[in-house]
Structure formats: C-alpha cells, structure tokens
Amino acid sequence: ARAFGSLPLLGSSEDRDYCLFRDSGLDPGDPRPEFELAGAAKEEIKTLQVELRNHPDLAFQRWSRRANDATDPMRRTAATILQAVAASRQNLDQLAEQILSEAVERVSGSSPSDAWIQAVASQVRFYHYRAGDTNRACEAARVVEQLAGRAKSARAKAEALWVSGFLAFYEGRLQDAEARANQGLEFQVAELEPALLEELVCSREYTQKYDDALAAADRLVSVSENRSDRWWHGRAFFLRAWLLRTLGRPAEAMRDARRAVELAEEGGYRAIYSDAQAQLASSQAASGDIEGALATTREFEARMAEARHIGGQLNALLTRADILANHGRHEEALEAARAAAIKSSSKRRTDAYAQARYLEAWNLSRLGRRDAALEATREAITANARWWSAYAAGLQCDLAQTAASSRTHVDLALKLGNHAGIRTPIGNLCTTAARLPFQTGPSYSNAPSSLG
C-alpha cells in the first residue's frame, strides 16, 4: 500500500520548487546531456547553462534556431528538447508539451532509434515530473520499451532501460524494474546513474531486499556527492533514512533525515524538505519520542504553510495522523486525517485524499464507529488512487459483517490491488489494511510515492 516519494509533489505551480525535467543540469559542472547532443562546443556549455537558467526567453529563441538548422536527427531532437525546457522555465507548459510531441513525430520510425528514444524519454520526464501525470508518462514509456532493442549508443540503451524500469515499477513488476536498473547501470552513463540507483533502491525495498536496497542507497549518497548534485544528494539521504527506519535503526534514520533537511534548506528544495521532515518525525516516533515527533510535524507544517506548499502541508498532517494512530490516540489522529481530507479535496490531490480517508476509516473502526468507517472507505475507493483505494477495499473486507458482503469487498480489493500492482495474497492485503500497515513497515505517509 505504498506508492513511491512522499504524497503528490506536483500538480500546482507552487509545488514545483525543483523539477527533474525543467531544472536539472543547469548548474556549472553538471550540464544537461542535451547540450552536447545538440552539438554545443564544450567551452560554450557553461554559458548556455546560465542562459537557460536565467534567461529562458533568449534560450528558447536560440534552441529554436538550432533545431531548425540541424540536419542530424539527434542534434535536432536535443535542440528541440532544450527549446521545450526553455518554454517550461517560462511556465509555458502547454507549449513545452506541444514542442515535445512535434519532436517525437519528426523522429518516429527512424533507425537507429536513439533520437526517437531521447524524444519520448523527455516526454516521460515531462509528464511525470512536470505535469504530475504518471498515467501519460507510462503511456510514453511503453513506446520506449518497444524501442529499447533498437538503440545504438550506450547512452540511448541506458536511457531506454531507465524508462523501461520506470514503467515496470509503476505496473508493479518490481523484479523487472530492478533488473532494468541493473542493466542500465552497466553502461556507466554518469548523468543517468542517480535515477537508475533510485530505481534500484525502491524496487529492492518493495521486494523486501532491504540490505541490497541499503547498499544501493549508500552508492547513491556517494555518487550524488561526487557529482556535487545537491538535489540528488538530499534525495539520497532521504531514501537511506527511510530504509534505516524500515530496518529498525531509528537513530541512524534521524541522522540521515536531518542531513537531508539541511541539504534541502541549502538548495531551497521544498519537496525534499517535506519528505525528510516527515521521515525525521516517523523516526523520532520509532525511537519512542512521540511528543518530539508530533512537534516536528507541527513545525514543518507551519513552514510549508508559510511557503504555500500544499503537498508539504498534507505530508505533515498525514504523518501526524499516522503517528497518533499507531499510538492509540485515535480521536487526535481522526482530526488530523480529516484536516488532510478537506485540504486535499479542495486542491484536487487524489492520492492524499484517498490516504486521508483511509486513515480516517481505520481510526473510526478502532473507535467502534463501523458505519462511518465504511463510508470513509467508500470515499477512498471512489478517489481511484491506486494504492490507497486498494487498501481501503481491504479494510472494507475486515469491516464486512456477512459472508456475501465480505466476498464483494474481496473481489473489489483484488481488482484494485491488481490495478495498483500490489502482488500480495488478498488475505494478507485485507489483514494488513485492517491492522494499519504502518506498524510493521515503513510509514506509507512518507515512504517514496514517486520515483524522483
């Protein structure tokens, strides 16, 4: 019942403090690969980075001209991607989407398929990281998966494997996701290494290969430090904190969570700040410091409210509801869950809304208010959020009073569980949902809910 990353990080402009489609590769020393692929000379790349970062209007014109002048398919595609990035940096996302679609159309059917793979992979990143539309990202990813065998360069092969792993992960094929990440890492493409390692960490954790996942997280910490990439460095410490808490090592988890908070504050990465603070609070609770954990959630909720970061506020509320529920303080947990449900409903945050209603239902069930609990599970299911809707159906099975009613709920839970990619026996799904999954595993309110 988890979904990767922290609660929805995208979906409205105030949450887009850092976007792997729009903002990555613009700091000196860590250039986007498209600069070189578009034919830029090494000595001009730093200037081009600064222009794209600080003057996207000028960069848009430059890359439009270079795309029109290019005769090589890869150079034209890379220049067009940079043009789309420049549009997105001006908040012209509909234009960016249109430019990417035209780039794909121009190279569709080309052989070798490197330029085609590059264009569609950029669509995957745009839809997932910028638009927050994982379903459309997966649609694009299926195209890349079909093209993987036709790639020629090492970079295109590694790119195709990352995209294939992304798709496998979101379809619940976790062993395939791990295999694709491992294969992609064999090509030693430096700029893709962090994303491939993240894929490895998450797919291994979700298949309970905790020691292997921790080894991959250690490697991600090292790689991101060597690359001087603060965003990935913060993300790496957050992921390792999550794993350490899963392994019952809360003191080490708190250490890494605090380091992730520091890096997030230095870089202004609000989403990582929110994730890391949630992880810190959950680790404090795991160490027995319940009041300290609750104080942490209140502190970062206030910070996120000041920054007008809706996703961070929801993360704080749901983490607080989780901690309170795990320690039998059901009325207080119910209050936090309902506040999250109201806020997420008004902002159309589907995953957060489903999670909030699931938490509400679980606490109501523990307070003996069965009818209200069933109504809350129905709301969670109606939200059609993959993981939390499936777990809400599992909780309905536990609440059902008749064999016929239970069978109906089991069928629904199976259907939703299969859609979410939950590969677990239905009895375990229902039992886990009924006892609140946070008690034995990582707290789903702040486990990674999205790759990146």
Side-chain angles (χ1 to χ4, degrees):
R2 317 174 251 198
F4 271 55
S6 45
L7 291 177
L9 304 183
L10 299 177
S12 62
S13 59
E14 82 276 7
D15 279 352
R16 295 176 185 149
D17 54 321
Y18 186 92
C19 168
L20 284 177
F21 169 77
R22 186 192 68 175
D23 301 324
S24 66
L26 298 184
D27 294 323
D30 184 30
R32 296 182 70 97
E34 288 90 356
F35 289 120
E36 184 176 349
L37 293 172
K42 288 186 178 181
E43 59 269 18
E44 68 171 336
I45 286 179
K46 184 180 292 188
T47 300
L48 295 173
Q49 285 178 291
V50 172
E51 181 183 68
L52 183 53
R53 184 176 66 241
N54 298 336
H55 304 287
D57 53 334
L58 300 179
F60 183 90
Q61 296 173 30
R62 177 190 298 275
W63 295 112
S64 176
R65 290 194 302 270
R66 291 205 183 186
N68 289 333
D69 293 342
T71 56
D72 175 75
M74 179 57 84
R75 286 194 174 193
R76 183 170 60 246
T77 297
T80 304
I81 292 168
L82 290 168
Q83 184 188 5
V85 171
S88 185
R89 290 188 65 77
Q90 297 175 79
N91 293 318
L92 301 173
D93 289 314
Q94 287 186 332
L95 177 59
E97 181 182 7
Q98 179 184 336
I99 290 168
L100 290 174
S101 296
E102 291 172 356
V104 171
E105 289 176 9
R106 279 197 297 267
V107 292
S108 294
S110 61
S111 183
S113 300
D114 293 20
W116 195 358
I117 289 169
Q118 188 73 23
V120 183
S122 292
Q123 280 188 316
V124 173
R125 288 186 175 87
F126 174 83
Y127 286 129
H128 183 60
Y129 297 124
R130 184 62 180 161
D133 190 338
T134 300
N135 288 333
R136 293 190 73 180
C138 286
E139 289 176 12
R142 291 186 186 97
V143 175
V144 176
E145 190 171 47
Q146 295 170 2
L147 297 173
R150 295 164 56 181
K152 183 178 180 181
S153 70
R155 193 192 186 286
K157 290 175 182 177
E159 182 84 276
L161 285 163
W162 173 77
V163 173
S164 295
F166 169 92
L167 178 62
F169 181 84
Y170 278 99
E171 289 184 343
R173 297 181 284 114
L174 300 176
Q175 290 183 338
D176 287 347
E178 180 185 3
R180 300 292 187 277
N182 271 321
Q183 291 165 9
L185 287 167
E186 290 176 3
F187 290 101
Q188 300 181 351
V189 178
E191 68 268 15
L192 293 173
E193 192 172 7
L196 288 163
L197 284 170
E198 181 196 36
E199 221 165 56
L200 207 54
V201 170
C202 294
S203 58
R204 284 175 173 176
E205 196 284 339
Y206 277 63
T207 50
Q208 299 181 342
K209 299 176 181 177
Y210 299 123
D211 290 338
D212 290 343
L214 188 59
D218 289 341
R219 184 175 166 187
L220 180 55
V221 168
S222 177
V223 164
S224 57
E225 182 176 22
N226 291 338
R227 288 172 56 85
S228 300
D229 188 327
R230 281 191 301 184
W231 190 90
W232 273 114
H233 206 34
R235 177 76 175 168
F237 275 108
F238 157 68
L239 287 170
R240 195 166 70 178
W242 167 53
L243 287 167
L244 288 166
R245 185 168 62 84
T246 303
L247 290 166
R249 295 157 62 177
E252 294 168 87
M254 284 188 280
R255 176 204 66 200
D256 277 9
R258 288 190 173 102
R259 180 59 180 141
V261 168
E262 291 173 1
L263 289 163
E265 289 181 320
E266 290 172 9
Y269 309 135
R270 293 175 296 175
I272 290 180
Y273 173 85
S274 166
D275 287 351
Q277 287 281 37
Q279 201 58 240
L280 175 60
S282 295
S283 299
Q284 288 174 303
S287 70
D289 183 10
I290 308 305
E291 293 309 316
L294 295 174
T296 296
T297 66
R298 287 190 287 270
E299 175 190 338
F300 87 84
E301 182 186 6
R303 289 280 299 274
M304 294 291 93
E306 184 179 349
R308 304 182 68 180
H309 190 284
I310 301 300
Q313 293 172 63
L314 290 169
N315 208 354
L317 286 167
L318 291 167
T319 302
R320 184 153 68 247
D322 172 5
I323 292 168
L324 290 165
N326 278 320
H327 292 84
R329 295 164 63 170
H330 300 302
E331 290 287 0
E332 294 172 85
L334 196 57
E335 182 181 352
R338 283 176 169 166
I342 291 169
K343 187 176 289 290
S344 56
S345 176
S346 66
K347 298 297 181 179
R348 298 181 181 179
R349 302 303 179 89
T350 302
D351 286 343
Y353 179 75
Q355 183 181 355
R357 297 313 299 262
Y358 169 75
L359 276 167
E360 180 183 350
W362 191 88
N363 284 286
L364 285 167
S365 72
R366 290 303 180 269
L367 291 167
R369 295 156 65 180
R370 177 181 172 277
D371 289 344
L374 281 170
E375 177 59 29
T377 61
R378 283 191 285 269
E379 289 290 331
I381 291 167
T382 302
N384 197 28
R386 290 185 177 186
W387 299 93
W388 293 106
S389 295
Y391 268 73
L395 181 56
Q396 277 193 344
C397 300
D398 183 65
L399 293 169
Q401 291 184 327
T402 67
S405 177
S406 180
R407 182 68 255 170
T408 299
H409 295 316
V410 165
D411 290 342
L412 177 59
L414 273 171
K415 177 182 177 181
L416 291 171
N418 287 333
H419 176 59
I422 299 175
R423 300 292 186 255
T424 186
I426 189 62
N428 182 44
L429 171 64
C430 301
T431 302
T432 302
R435 73 161 186 266
L436 193 64
F438 320 131
Q439 295 180 338
T440 56
S443 170
Y444 299 158
S445 62
N446 49 68
S449 67
S450 65
L451 287 170

